[in-house]
Amino acid sequence: MALQRLTFRLRQTVTHVRSLHTSGCTQQQEAVAVESQPEPFSVFRTQENDPGCQTEKHIGQHYTLPSAHINTLFPHGLPWRFKQRVKTFNEACMMVRQPALEVISYLKKTDFSKPALRYLFYGPKGTGKTMSLCHTVHFCYTQGWLVLHVPDAHLWVKNCKELLPSSYNSSRFDQPLQAAEWLRNFRITSEQFLSKIKTKQRYVWTKRESTEEGSPLGQLVDQGISRVKCSSDVVGAVMKELRLQSGQPESNFHLAVAVDGVNALWGRSTIMKQDKSAMDPGELTLVYNLRKLMQNDWIGGAIITALSQTGSLYTPKSVYLPQELLGERGFDYMDPFIPASVSNYSEKEFESCCLYYMDRHWLQHPQSQTEEGKKEIIFLSNRNPRMLERICAFL
Amino acid sequence: TALPCNSYECSLSKCIKNNSIALSAVSASLRDICVSCALHRKNLAAAGPEKFTVEFIQKQAEEFNIGKRHLANMMGEDPESFTQEDIDRSIAYLFPSGLFDKKARPLMKHPEEIFPKQRAIQWGADRRPFHFLFYTGKQMYYSVMHCQKMSHQKHTSPFQYSLRMLTRVSISSLGTSRWFTKEELEALLVETISTHDYNHFIQLMERLLSLPYCATEVEFVLRYRRQLEAPSAKRIVPLLQRDEWGVAFSTSDGCRKTSNCSVVLRECGSGCITINGQNYLHYFPTLQDREQLMFPFQFTGMLGRFDLECTVSGGGRSSQAGALRLATSRALLSFLSEREAENMRQAGLLTPDPRVRERKKPGQEGARRKFTWNKR
């Protein structure tokens, strides 16, 4: 009798449990059905497109840059080969890598009342310094910062078609073409801020033209673009305004200065003066003003830079460390900075890159998809991102 | 049957010919015909190669032996055990020469090797020839064929049938060898042979070998065959050593054109390559050079297993890559089986490339390029 009651009670509990279990199951199934439909699971891709939300577990995975962001943020910032790739694949996918994530995590914790911190990406050739810089710039943009992006400082110290003596300071030289181009790109990048920021000073360009105090920054920029002759001074004025105003309580923007190829500012230039003597980069207005921005004497933002040996002048191919590339002057100027070392792909990152190429049907050769082929590619490229990309380009 | 030994003497026929020329010259002058000087001039080409007498050669041999003893004394070595290699070494030491052509350098060898072999006088004082086949004109050739014919008939004779039962065919005892070429046969017989004769000779030898009991004639046949050395027999496999952490490694050298390199191949499993202290991606920016480096590993299927540490000097980037490839293939031999090593050899990975830069010749602009041809 007691046994029967026991079994009955057990049976009840069992049925209870069973019903609970089944209901739980159905709930789970529904949830799974809801989740699995929109997102196919892939090892090399992540749906987390916001750089601010990316964590360590996204390392090695590709995230997509929205095309709207690319048009506004990177009119001139992305490397040439990456732009070709974007055009071919019809999507801009960048790999999440550890150095960029590190710098982004520091940027998230910046104290805007303290002077701006300087971050420097360095590493051997072709390891992805420029791409890491672009990644951090994208992060700053999504956070609503004002980005001042100089895609390659080397372009300002070589191949100068027009060189004018500066009207502001007779010992310096102007580069109207480069300055005007940069201003045009800057206008695209910072559309939303141009009307909000007002100048704090009156600028006189010629006898008849001047920009009054309190006029929007957009007007200043337009002035530089239309009057090409004074564009370098306009650039200097813009930089000065932004430097003074960022971090002030009344201005509600944060400034991110991103410079690629920072070693050009303290290196040598191939531009020659009229009497065929070599020009020091410090004598160029653009470089001079940019150097002032590199100083950490302003608050309310951050300075993110990357070294580059590829476009640099008079540096041997094997150097990549900051001390060697920046030189003594540059290193003293930039010191102290937070270095971020960028190296070749790890195994996981390499696999992810290969999977991405296969997904995009970029690797057409049948052997490139086998294990043997992968080993050959590893050997030939030594997991260097640039080499890998070049080799896969004809596979 | 041994060949009749050739002694070195002027042939009598030559003397007779010379006398006839002299007679005709005399008769021409007697006839008072205006004869040009060209006739009196000796026709050097028609005389043929210079003839050396037996005494001359013997004297040269004695002088050579005495000279050999003098040389040994000069070098402070024992004259009794002074070999030809010692002679070569001493001459190279005493008369250093910078000439590129090895044959142009000073040498000291036995007269037999220097003076070309010549046929001796084939008849005695009574002007009867020694050899019974002299009047065929190609006595050596026909004597060889005759020997064969005799053995051929010996085989087919029924009386030796029982003896022949014991000896079976063994073509394998010939080993890897080939027949003499026509030039080699001519050198052996000291006689010119036409192509037709040579083919006939080869035909007969092959026929001899195809007979059932040719084992007895093997030594006769081997006289006319040259051994081919199997290249695989001469392979030197580098030593497989272990360093203090127990990692297996092997060292080897390689060269190509003017580059020399030495390579240490370690079985780490990392695939990291260092050349002259630099990363190989940096040292060889060109894809072609890295492909050359990859070839031995790719061929044997050992891509990610090894670690290379190389030092290379001389030459350009392509020759350095080739030298490194050779060195890595040699170093890999100690990790491979015989069959894989044979595969590598057939792929050409183990053969040093003999091509070097050809010298520029005078009268030409380069090695092959001639000066621009002007009609006037």
Side-chain angles (χ1 to χ4, degrees):
Chain A
M1 198 60 191
L3 204 61
Q4 278 178 343
R5 241 178 282 148
L6 191 61
T7 47
F8 179 70
R9 234 180 278 150
L10 277 173
R11 217 180 298 136
Q12 273 181 339
T13 48
V14 162
T15 46
H16 269 294
V17 163
R18 211 181 292 137
S19 63
L20 275 172
H21 184 66
T22 44
S23 60
C25 249
T26 43
Q27 272 171 17
Q28 272 176 15
Q29 276 164 7
E30 280 161 13
V32 160
V34 161
E35 276 171 11
S36 60
Q37 269 149 16
E39 299 168 8
F41 177 69
S42 52
V43 180
F44 59 91
R45 241 189 241 273
T46 173
Q47 303 301 320
E48 191 58 72
N49 285 343
D50 183 17
C53 305
Q54 283 160 358
T55 58
E56 257 94 43
K57 56 181 170 94
H58 294 115
I59 284 183
Q61 295 184 331
H62 292 79
Y63 83 96
T64 325
L65 283 148
S67 49
H69 284 193
I70 294 181
N71 291 335
T72 39
L73 180 55
F74 292 123
H76 57 169
L78 295 173
W80 170 247
R81 284 194 85 97
F82 186 72
K83 274 201 274 220
Q84 298 291 86
R85 199 171 98 171
V86 166
K87 215 160 79 165
T88 316
F89 293 161
N90 232 3
E91 61 171 6
C93 270
M94 213 192 291
M95 196 193 278
V96 176
R97 292 186 76 195
Q98 201 274 328
L101 272 186
E102 196 186 319
V103 171
I104 287 175
S105 68
Y106 296 153
L107 284 173
K108 283 188 209 167
K109 299 180 223 158
T110 40
D111 186 352
F112 294 109
S113 54
K114 300 265 174 49
L117 280 175
R118 288 180 286 210
Y119 305 93
L120 183 69
F121 287 108
Y122 72 98
K125 257 175 85 161
T127 43
K129 301 182 283 289
T130 311
M131 291 304 288
S132 305
L133 187 76
C134 292
H135 191 168
T136 37
V137 161
H138 186 222
F139 164 76
C140 298
Y141 182 76
T142 49
Q143 300 291 307
W145 296 26
L146 171 61
V147 171
L148 203 130
H149 186 43
V150 179
D152 195 0
H154 289 296
L155 296 172
W156 289 357
V157 296
K158 51 182 178 176
N159 301 338
C160 182
K161 290 193 182 66
E162 241 184 76
L163 200 70
L164 302 170
S166 167
S167 50
Y168 184 70
N169 187 336
S170 54
S171 65
R172 291 207 281 263
F173 291 88
D174 267 0
Q175 285 155 297
L177 296 172
Q178 272 105 330
E181 198 196 319
W182 186 82
L183 279 172
R184 251 175 262 137
N185 290 324
F186 178 69
R187 188 166 58 175
I188 303 172
T189 323
S190 46
E191 280 289 352
Q192 34 171 320
F193 293 99
L194 287 177
S195 42
K196 288 189 222 159
I197 304 173
K198 309 275 186 241
T199 56
K200 289 274 189 299
Q201 200 192 325
R202 183 166 181 268
Y203 296 100
V204 179
W205 307 118
T206 56
K207 270 190 236 154
R208 272 169 253 163
E209 290 174 20
S210 63
T211 314
E212 299 304 322
E213 195 181 316
S215 54
L217 200 68
Q219 197 183 341
L220 195 62
V221 172
D222 290 329
Q223 168 78 31
I225 294 173
S226 49
R227 294 271 176 272
V228 179
K229 210 166 156 197
C230 58
S231 51
S232 318
D233 293 323
V234 167
V235 169
V238 162
M239 288 182 178
K240 186 164 140 193
E241 287 294 320
L242 290 173
R243 201 173 79 234
L244 290 172
Q245 288 191 24
S246 85
Q248 304 303 326
E250 63 263 13
S251 55
N252 51 356
F253 71 94
H254 304 297
L255 182 62
V257 179
V259 183
D260 198 357
V262 114
N263 44 325
L265 301 179
W266 293 281
R268 285 163 64 181
S269 77
T270 46
I271 309 174
M272 282 193 291
K273 294 185 234 186
Q274 287 287 20
D275 52 353
K276 305 277 187 192
S277 63
M279 168 102 73
D280 183 53
E283 292 174 25
L284 295 162
T285 335
L286 289 171
V287 172
Y288 179 77
N289 289 317
L290 196 57
R291 273 193 200 172
K292 280 201 279 189
L293 253 190
M294 293 278 112
Q295 272 292 27
N296 54 351
D297 51 1
W298 50 278
I299 56 173
I303 306 171
I304 316 152
T305 57
L307 291 177
S308 167
Q309 194 281 324
T310 322
S312 72
L313 300 156
Y314 304 105
T315 47
K317 270 206 297 189
S318 52
V319 300
Y320 65 93
L321 295 170
Q323 178 98 32
E324 296 156 349
L325 270 180
L326 286 172
E328 267 201 51
R329 273 193 311 168
F331 197 83
D332 293 332
Y333 206 93
M334 290 289 283
D335 203 22
F337 60 86
I338 300 174
S341 155
V342 187
S343 58
N344 288 336
Y345 280 156
S346 68
E347 283 174 22
K348 183 176 157 202
E349 287 172 340
F350 176 82
E351 273 301 317
S352 162
C353 195
C354 276
L355 283 170
Y356 175 67
Y357 282 139
M358 286 204 282
D359 172 65
R360 296 273 96 201
H361 300 294
W362 192 233
L363 295 175
Q364 292 286 319
H365 201 279
Q367 219 207 334
S368 58
Q369 288 150 25
T370 60
E371 274 305 310
E372 275 299 315
K374 282 234 183 68
K375 280 195 202 165
E376 285 176 28
I377 297 176
I378 293 180
F379 188 103
L380 286 176
S381 64
N382 200 22
R383 289 204 214 99
N384 183 279
R386 167 191 286 180
M387 273 299 143
L388 175 66
E389 202 256 312
R390 276 177 184 261
I391 289 172
C392 293
F394 55 80
L395 276 182
Chain B
T1 51
L3 298 169
C5 64
N6 297 317
S7 55
Y8 307 95
E9 275 184 31
C10 299
S11 59
L12 207 54
S13 52
K14 205 70 247 150
C15 295
I16 296 166
K17 228 192 268 177
N18 282 339
N19 287 334
S20 61
I21 290 171
L23 279 169
S24 62
V26 161
S27 61
S29 63
L30 281 177
R31 273 177 279 151
D32 249 352
I33 297 167
C34 185
V35 171
S36 65
C37 307
L39 261 184
H40 295 293
R41 230 184 282 140
K42 233 158 81 167
N43 194 350
L44 293 166
E50 203 183 330
K51 301 283 197 289
F52 306 106
T53 57
V54 171
E55 291 92 10
F56 174 76
I57 298 293
Q58 274 171 356
K59 197 162 70 93
Q60 295 293 317
E62 278 160 22
E63 280 182 17
F64 170 76
N65 286 322
I66 294 167
K68 196 167 93 166
R69 297 183 76 89
H70 277 305
L71 188 62
N73 284 328
M74 261 196 275
M75 299 300 290
E77 297 196 25
D78 178 25
E80 302 301 325
S81 62
F82 207 55
T83 58
Q84 185 59 45
E85 280 134 21
D86 297 327
I87 297 177
D88 293 333
R89 205 171 21 90
S90 322
I91 293 291
Y93 171 71
L94 290 169
F95 303 100
S97 160
L99 297 173
F100 290 130
D101 196 356
K102 301 282 194 280
K103 293 183 212 164
R105 293 185 183 177
L107 63 84
M108 182 169 161
K109 290 211 190 302
H110 194 85
E112 296 238 314
E113 294 166 39
I114 297 180
F115 295 103
K117 271 186 166 184
Q118 287 171 346
R119 255 188 300 161
I121 284 283
Q122 305 297 322
W123 50 88
D126 56 349
R127 295 208 265 165
R128 280 186 72 225
F130 296 129
H131 204 278
F132 72 105
L133 288 172
F134 174 76
Y135 287 108
T136 60
K138 298 182 267 190
Q139 62 182 38
M140 301 307 306
Y141 169 72
Y142 282 113
S143 74
V144 167
M145 304 292 271
H146 176 73
C147 288
Q148 285 189 6
K149 272 273 168 7
M150 290 302 294
S151 7
H152 189 113
Q153 278 167 17
K154 252 197 297 184
H155 282 183
T156 50
S157 145
F159 298 113
Q160 270 95 31
Y161 181 67
S162 52
L163 275 176
R164 293 297 170 266
M165 286 281 277
L166 299 169
T167 52
R168 302 298 296 169
V169 174
S170 55
I171 302 287
S172 56
S173 62
L174 292 174
T176 48
S177 54
R178 61 164 175 84
W179 293 115
F180 272 171
T181 57
K182 185 158 153 300
E183 285 76 32
E184 284 168 349
L185 197 61
E186 279 183 1
L188 183 69
L189 303 179
V190 197
E191 202 175 70
T192 45
I193 298 170
S194 77
T195 330
H196 176 76
D197 293 335
Y198 176 70
N199 290 336
H200 196 47
F201 166 74
I202 296 290
Q203 243 177 6
L204 212 59
M205 296 299 240
E206 293 287 340
R207 177 86 183 105
L208 187 66
L209 281 180
S210 67
L211 292 171
Y213 302 107
C214 61
T216 45
E217 303 304 321
V218 156
E219 32 158 312
F220 169 72
V221 162
L222 276 179
R223 243 187 279 161
Y224 299 101
R225 285 187 80 98
R226 181 179 293 284
Q227 285 293 336
L228 294 166
E229 283 173 357
S232 50
K234 289 198 295 184
R235 200 177 295 138
I236 313 163
V237 174
L239 215 65
L240 186 69
Q241 301 151 47
R242 287 198 179 261
D243 67 1
E244 56 224 26
W245 287 287
V247 172
F249 74 97
S250 69
T251 323
S252 66
D253 297 325
C255 59
R256 165 101 213 272
K257 274 195 189 177
T258 38
S259 316
N260 283 301
C261 74
S262 104
V263 147
V264 176
L265 194 73
R266 283 203 176 81
E267 194 170 6
C268 301
S270 62
C272 154
I273 301 182
T274 324
I275 306 181
N276 285 356
Q278 287 179 9
N279 193 19
Y280 71 112
L281 199 71
H282 196 273
Y283 195 80
F284 286 136
T286 325
L287 189 69
Q288 177 197 338
D289 301 331
R290 271 175 281 138
E291 276 179 352
Q292 287 287 299
L293 213 53
M294 185 178 77
F295 186 27
F297 297 114
Q298 182 194 13
F299 188 77
T300 50
M302 306 202 164
L303 264 175
R305 268 173 63 178
F306 293 97
D307 204 34
L308 270 182
E309 199 184 300
C310 341
T311 43
V312 67
S313 65
R317 65 170 175 88
S318 185
S319 65
Q320 281 183 347
L324 279 171
R325 184 182 107 174
L326 181 64
T328 41
S329 336
R330 282 186 185 157
L332 263 183
L333 280 179
S334 50
F335 292 95
L336 295 175
S337 64
E338 271 296 319
R339 188 148 32 116
E340 287 175 335
E342 182 58 27
N343 284 343
M344 281 237 286
R345 185 193 69 84
Q346 288 191 354
L349 278 167
L350 298 174
T351 328
D353 203 328
R355 299 178 287 181
V356 260
R357 194 170 153 270
E358 206 175 302
R359 70 160 273 204
K360 176 199 174 315
K361 284 110 193 169
Q364 294 175 3
E365 207 172 292
R368 299 286 173 99
R369 162 120 175 98
K370 321 278 183 286
F371 288 122
T372 319
W373 181 75
N374 287 317
K375 205 161 178 183
R376 280 163 195 98

